[in-house]
Amino acid sequence: MRSKRPFIRLSLRHLLWALIFINLYGCLPDPAEDKSSGLNKIIVREAADANSLHPLVLRDAVGFKVALFIYQSLVNIDYESESLVGILAKGDPTIDSLPNQAYELRYQLRPEAQFDNGRQIKATDILFSLKYYTAPFAFNRGNRGYYQFIDSVKIDQNDPLAISFYTHQLNSRTKFICGDFFILPYEQFDPQSILSKYTFDELKQLEKTDTLPKLALLEKKTDSAIKSTTIQSLNGSGPYALLKWEKGKRILLEKKSNWWAAPLDEQSVYFQNKADQLQLEIIADETTAISALKSGNIDVLQGIGPKNFEKLQSDSARFQTYEMEKRGYQCIGFNMNHALLQDKHLRKAIAHLCPLQIIVDQVFYGKASVSSVPYPIESQSTKDRYPFNPEKAKSLLEASAWKDVDNDGILEKKINGEMVELELEYLYNTSNASRAAIGMILKQEAKKVGINIQVQSVEWSVYLERLRNANTALFYYGAQTAPLPPDFSALFHSKSAFGGRNFAHYQSSQADALINTINQNISLEDRNNSIEAFYEIIQDELPYYFMLTPYELIATSTDVKGLTTYIDRPYYWASELYK
């Protein structure tokens, strides 16, 4: 007979479960509190917190997502049209050719644009912001390289809302990059107006602040602001203000009243702020996040695993689900500096041992699309050049003189007088279940033809360090791409090997020349022709085997309205949502 005094007879097991529940959910927000206050609040789950929200050092997706709600740039890519639209600028810049193969890009600012203190945003703010991004601070090295192509900047003396950028490097991305930095109020980020003492040209020439006390002081103060989580150092002209940042727990944004761009809300997602508050709730574990969605503690769950997504999809009375193809790629990379993988036949053999349809069906539950290139173009076939074919793999291995000499099931080959077994490491980042599963599938298929693959996981920072230092054989890698003409420099150019993101350490003068041509082409037809020629090279030399792109999977509670999906990150725009 069950006791009528359950609280007295609680077992240790029940107490432990109660403690676990409190630890997992006790710090989550109570949705009833927001309903009673009448707030139109949207709570979004993020798997990890931002490292920083300071505009100079946005290095992760969460930080950049929040920054887009706090700050604004001159232009950005519209999520629906995938074309360049004006934000603080009225629109695209005008481009004029000048003598000596130079160009002027002139942006005209919106006269109604203003900072939170009511001050009109002028060309002087644009110049200050570019100086701030390119000042010779230690943490600015990446920014300085990104904007190095800008020769000089000038403000129109007759129009305080017009600014011109001058460059000798005009390509298909220039008008975006010139407007691709957040515009910041100088009184907040440089209250002593230290940068006003230097021209943009002078700052470009400086390497360090060691011999410049005032500039060194600004660097020190900026470094302190970067490490801060206080709201005083994080205000911009965007639709939301940072209300609270509880490191490791949540980021809370509040809608600005009388925001300058509210009348433009029909023009672009960048002018939307329908929710009174946006809260990014940090929940690392997916199971915990799903429980939070089911209990009403969060409204939006993104980046769901395909198996869990199917379960949520089957409960349409409680959840709305969205799946969409996204721009990007996943691939197996080959360390071209590895003694065995310098053999192109071996790289191709491994590609033929990847059963892509099985991977799509079993690892991603059908929620992925196969693509053999990092950036598809209309004239380029995305058909897999290396379909699953173990017999073809065997013939390629035989052509490279790999044989099972001692009949132990592993192929051998004499290299520099020494018998070497065909054993390779497959590296992936810890806690990535899909990459682990792909590694095991490849291991099983490779074993059948005599290749011994060791599947190894390491923490993310170690993973990146080993890739940069060419300290592995095979590795799994993926990235999201932008709706811009592609720049293959980071992944393929020789200058990006050994320290950059060319983790295959691929070096080819022919490929480098084509990348340079692609980046310089303004004509879409000419650029696509160069891309086709480039793809022919990399698909033959195979520094990476491009495989697939997983779908983005999102679930929301049924009372969330206004969600539109996009092919580009973050795949939906939170400020469009409301209840």
Side-chain angles (χ1 to χ4, degrees):
M1 180 175 176
R2 182 172 296 177
S3 168
K4 295 182 180 180
R5 295 185 297 169
F7 293 104
I8 296 175
R9 297 174 60 89
L10 274 174
S11 68
L12 178 60
R13 179 166 54 89
H14 288 99
L15 287 170
L16 287 172
W17 274 112
L19 288 171
I20 291 170
F21 184 85
I22 290 169
N23 285 333
L24 288 177
Y25 306 116
C27 63
L28 291 177
D30 182 357
E33 293 180 6
D34 296 321
K35 290 176 182 176
S36 63
S37 65
L39 277 179
N40 184 6
K41 184 175 184 177
I42 298 294
I43 305 176
V44 177
R45 176 258 184 163
E46 296 291 346
D49 201 352
N51 289 321
S52 176
L53 298 181
H54 194 282
L56 293 190
V57 290
L58 297 169
R59 302 287 188 264
D60 56 80
V62 177
F64 191 72
K65 178 189 292 188
V66 174
L68 285 170
F69 295 127
I70 298 175
Y71 314 110
Q72 293 178 298
S73 55
L74 288 173
V75 295
N76 212 326
I77 303 297
D78 182 70
Y79 280 80
E80 290 186 314
S81 67
E82 297 187 12
S83 59
L84 200 66
V85 294
I87 300 178
L88 291 176
K90 287 184 175 181
D92 283 17
T94 58
I95 302 176
D96 291 324
S97 297
L98 303 174
N100 301 318
Q101 296 183 321
Y103 301 90
E104 176 190 7
L105 289 83
R106 179 185 171 97
Y107 294 83
Q108 190 71 35
L109 301 181
R110 296 179 185 271
E112 67 270 41
Q114 61 184 30
F115 290 116
D116 291 350
N117 60 8
R119 183 172 66 78
Q120 185 183 34
I121 297 175
K122 297 183 178 181
T124 49
D125 298 297
I126 313 305
L127 180 56
F128 160 75
S129 300
L130 184 61
K131 286 181 180 181
Y132 195 51
Y133 270 87
T134 57
F137 304 150
F139 42 78
N140 257 356
R141 291 191 183 96
N143 296 332
R144 284 168 67 85
Y146 190 62
Y147 299 107
Q148 187 64 34
F149 72 95
I150 299 174
D151 297 330
S152 60
V153 185
K154 291 183 181 179
I155 295 171
D156 189 330
Q157 298 304 310
N158 299 314
D159 186 351
L161 300 183
I163 188 166
S164 294
F165 297 79
Y166 296 88
T167 180
H168 284 77
Q169 299 179 32
L170 183 67
N171 59 49
S172 55
R173 301 163 68 97
T174 305
K175 62 182 181 179
F176 167 75
I177 296 176
C178 280
D180 180 35
F181 55 94
F182 291 120
I183 309 307
L184 310 169
Y186 61 81
E187 61 265 47
Q188 178 182 324
F189 290 88
D190 181 16
Q192 294 179 290
S193 300
I194 293 171
L195 290 178
S196 66
K197 309 296 191 296
Y198 300 89
T199 67
F200 174 72
D201 296 348
E202 288 171 338
L203 288 170
K204 279 188 68 174
Q205 302 305 317
L206 296 174
E207 294 295 331
K208 295 181 180 179
T209 62
D210 296 356
T211 59
L212 304 164
K214 289 187 177 180
L215 205 56
L217 177 63
L218 180 59
E219 180 176 16
K220 184 177 180 180
K221 288 184 175 181
T222 302
D223 188 53
S224 296
I226 286 170
K227 296 170 182 175
S228 171
T229 59
T230 59
I231 63 174
Q232 288 82 5
S233 61
L234 298 171
N235 291 318
S237 61
Y240 288 86
L242 181 66
L243 190 62
K244 185 189 297 183
W245 184 11
E246 297 178 64
K247 191 70 174 171
K249 293 182 179 179
R250 60 187 57 87
I251 300 171
L252 182 60
L253 302 169
E254 187 168 55
K255 177 179 179 177
K256 293 178 181 176
S257 58
N258 302 316
W259 180 47
W260 75 267
L264 306 175
D265 64 338
E266 296 299 321
Q267 292 190 16
S268 169
V269 297
Y270 297 110
F271 302 126
Q272 298 278 351
N273 62 347
K274 292 182 179 178
D276 294 324
Q277 290 186 345
L278 293 176
Q279 181 164 308
L280 282 66
E281 194 71 16
I282 314 304
I283 309 175
D285 179 67
E286 184 173 305
T287 301
T288 307
I290 290 172
S291 296
L293 179 67
K294 290 179 177 179
S295 62
N297 283 309
I298 62 172
D299 302 304
V300 183
L301 178 56
Q302 183 179 4
I304 311 167
K307 190 173 183 179
N308 285 327
F309 180 78
E310 285 192 341
K311 293 177 182 178
L312 293 170
Q313 202 170 30
S314 66
D315 193 355
S316 58
R318 298 175 62 195
F319 308 110
Q320 302 170 109
T321 55
Y322 306 83
E323 61 179 88
M324 76 289 303
E325 293 189 9
K326 57 186 180 182
R327 205 186 304 271
Y329 59 83
Q330 292 195 5
C331 62
I332 289 177
F334 301 97
N335 175 11
M336 304 284 280
N337 213 41
H338 190 281
L340 302 186
L341 289 173
Q342 291 176 5
D343 178 5
K344 183 164 61 176
H345 283 72
L346 176 55
R347 300 196 299 271
K348 291 184 176 182
I350 292 171
H352 278 299
L353 294 171
C354 295
L356 292 190
Q357 197 56 53
I358 290 175
I359 290 171
V360 168
D361 294 340
Q362 294 185 4
V363 178
F364 296 98
Y365 292 79
K367 311 295 187 185
S369 57
V370 173
S371 180
S372 63
V373 294
Y375 188 101
I377 56 176
E378 290 184 5
S379 58
Q380 175 75 28
S381 171
T382 59
K383 183 179 178 181
D384 184 13
R385 292 270 295 265
Y386 299 96
F388 180 59
N389 189 338
E391 292 304 316
K392 179 66 174 177
K394 287 180 183 179
S395 66
L396 286 165
L397 294 169
E398 289 173 3
S400 287
W402 287 102
K403 297 179 181 179
D404 186 2
V405 178
D406 54 7
N407 296 315
D408 64 348
I410 304 299
L411 300 177
E412 292 90 15
K413 179 179 179 179
K414 187 168 285 189
I415 301 175
N416 297 327
E418 182 180 351
M419 192 63 71
V420 177
E421 286 194 338
L422 186 42
E423 181 174 300
L424 299 166
E425 180 189 52
Y426 167 98
L427 191 69
Y428 72 98
N429 54 300
T430 302
S431 301
N432 194 310
S434 62
R435 295 185 179 193
I438 292 168
M440 293 308 298
I441 290 172
L442 177 59
K443 177 183 177 73
Q444 292 167 6
E445 296 300 333
K447 184 178 180 181
K448 295 174 185 177
V449 301
I451 304 175
N452 184 17
I453 291 180
Q454 300 296 322
V455 178
Q456 177 69 37
S457 70
V458 292
E459 294 297 328
W460 179 252
S461 59
V462 178
Y463 170 77
L464 290 178
E465 182 180 2
R466 289 188 58 182
L467 295 190
R468 290 191 191 100
N469 295 331
N471 186 15
T472 187
L474 312 174
F475 58 92
Y476 201 87
Y477 184 70
Q480 277 72 52
T481 54
L484 291 166
D487 182 353
F488 299 107
S489 302
L491 198 61
F492 294 99
H493 203 286
S494 299
K495 68 181 181 182
S496 299
F498 302 99
R501 286 198 294 117
N502 180 352
F503 296 136
H505 303 282
Y506 172 63
Q507 295 175 288
S508 164
S509 58
Q510 189 179 7
D512 290 349
L514 279 168
I515 291 171
N516 295 337
T517 300
I518 291 166
N519 290 343
Q520 293 164 6
N521 272 331
I522 300 294
S523 162
L524 176 62
E525 182 179 356
D526 291 344
R527 186 166 65 245
N528 283 351
N529 288 338
S530 297
I531 291 174
E532 285 189 28
F534 173 71
Y535 280 165
E536 284 299 315
I537 293 172
I538 65 166
Q539 287 187 326
D540 177 59
E541 297 189 350
L542 209 65
Y544 306 88
Y545 173 49
F546 292 94
M547 301 167 63
L548 50 85
T549 304
Y551 296 164
E552 186 65 22
L553 306 176
I554 301 173
T556 74
S557 57
T558 52
D559 58 348
V560 172
K561 312 298 181 188
L563 193 146
T564 301
T565 60
Y566 304 106
I567 194 173
D568 296 301
R569 192 165 53 183
Y571 311 113
Y572 74 98
W573 199 250
S575 61
E576 288 187 293
L577 307 184
Y578 61 94
K579 293 181 180 178

